[in-house]
Amino acid sequence: MIKGGRGTDVGRLRGWLPELPEPGPQRALVWSSFVNRVGTGMFLATSALYFTVIVGIPARQVGTGLSIAGLAALLGSVPAGTLADRVGPRTVQLVTLAVQTVTMALFVVVHSWWAFTLVAAFDYVADAANNAARGALIGRVGGERPALFRAKLRTFVSVAVVAGTLLAAVAIQIGTRGAYLTVILVNAVSYVVCALLLLRVPDFAPLPRPPGTRRFAALADRPYAAFAILNGLINLQAVVVTLLIPLWIAARTHIPHGVAAAVFGLNFLVGVLLMQPVGRRIETAEQGGRALRIAGLAIAAGCAVLAGSGSGPRWTETVVLLGGAAVVCGAGVWVTAAGFSLSFELAPAHAQGQYQGLTLLGLDAASAIGPALLTALVLGLGGPGWVILGAGFAAAGSAGPSVTRWAERTRPERAGSLENPGNITAPEPA
């Protein structure tokens, strides 16, 4: 008879699988996020085909419209996070979910590039605001261990996105206008369900701003801004997996294109298996700074391996590429966990939303300029481009401990400590 004790194989296996929180606010937030991300996964997997094939907007114009929407979203994170600190994060999330329900429904009646760009801009701004408020809410719901809770939440979100992508594949296979419209409307409904589940999360009251602190302290906090920039740069690891490796396979190798899908699957599997165990080891600012250094070196090693995947027999190219990709995927888990710990630990408790917004601004800014630069570097130079890219990641990661120490020296107290966690109003009935 096999028992599930901690020391048994079953017990050890459970430690690697997603662990649903106990009934309460954390579980409610997990389910709310899960539903939301299933809808998001469905939409993201079908949106490009819908707007180009069904609506008839040229692909280049779709890309331009999304770029404009992305630039607009850069303006939403910090103000929304500040508002979440002042009126409560759940309130801001509910408002943004209502806006996204409307914008998603409007995509059904979009027939021109201008209308598409306008609706996409509102949707992107609302999404950026939602993410900033969500970060602040996670900080409150997570209590004394917000980084670990966010790591747990990340595993369920990853599963949700994959589930949504698989459902979207059905609509793509059907290929009719009705199938695509169904995906869009289901995503709109998912925002409503997400909001209803969010009502089970307590409505945390704003924490008072200490006397003498600036209203927009995050924008003047140079050590934290340095972390936000550094975090954005090293998170370009995700671009390596989702964009650079597939393009490298297609343009510079003889590897079957289907291996790109295997890399996506590998990234998902590594994230689900490692996110919680790694998250348990990286919760303090000091641990986060060291993790960035380790991750930077690991990504550099993975890039060096990937540099060798552009020559030789097809099977050796494939083996080398999958080996390098596995290292980069594993390092990405450390990058994510480090970002979670540092973003919570270095931010004042009363301004979590504002600081989470600044973190998102760093991520979005890097995502706006990174793909083009990384693609030009690697596809333009080949193997040496991978080596140069890896050196850049190693340099960024090596700055993690020093930036963390600088930020810690300027904190008046343990920044991420959420004093008076019980300062909430009664949750509304769902």
Side-chain angles (χ1 to χ4, degrees), residues 37 153-163 268 271-272:
R37 296 309 178 184
L153 186 60
R154 178 64 174 261
T155 60
F156 288 97
V157 165
S158 298
V159 173
V161 171
V162 172
F268 164 73
V272 170

Side-chain angles (χ1 to χ4, degrees), residues 60-84:
R60 184 172 297 180
Q61 290 187 17
V62 170
T64 301
L66 293 178
S67 295
I68 294 173
L71 291 174
L74 294 178
L75 305 176
S77 298
V78 176
T82 304
L83 184 62

Side-chain angles (χ1 to χ4, degrees), residues 20 26 35 81 88 114 144 158 203 223 238 273 292 313 319 341 390 404-405:
L20 192 66
Q26 289 192 3
V35 170
W114 288 103
E144 291 300 315
S158 298
D203 186 13
L273 292 180
L292 286 181
V319 170
S341 65
T404 300
R405 287 192 295 268

Side-chain angles (χ1 to χ4, degrees), residues 232-259:
L233 291 175
I234 201 164
N235 265 278
L236 288 175
Q237 167 272 341
V239 174
V240 174
V241 175
T242 61
L243 178 66
L244 209 51
I245 290 178
L247 291 178
W248 172 259
I249 289 173
R252 286 276 192 162
T253 74
H254 302 96
I255 298 172
H257 293 180
V259 175

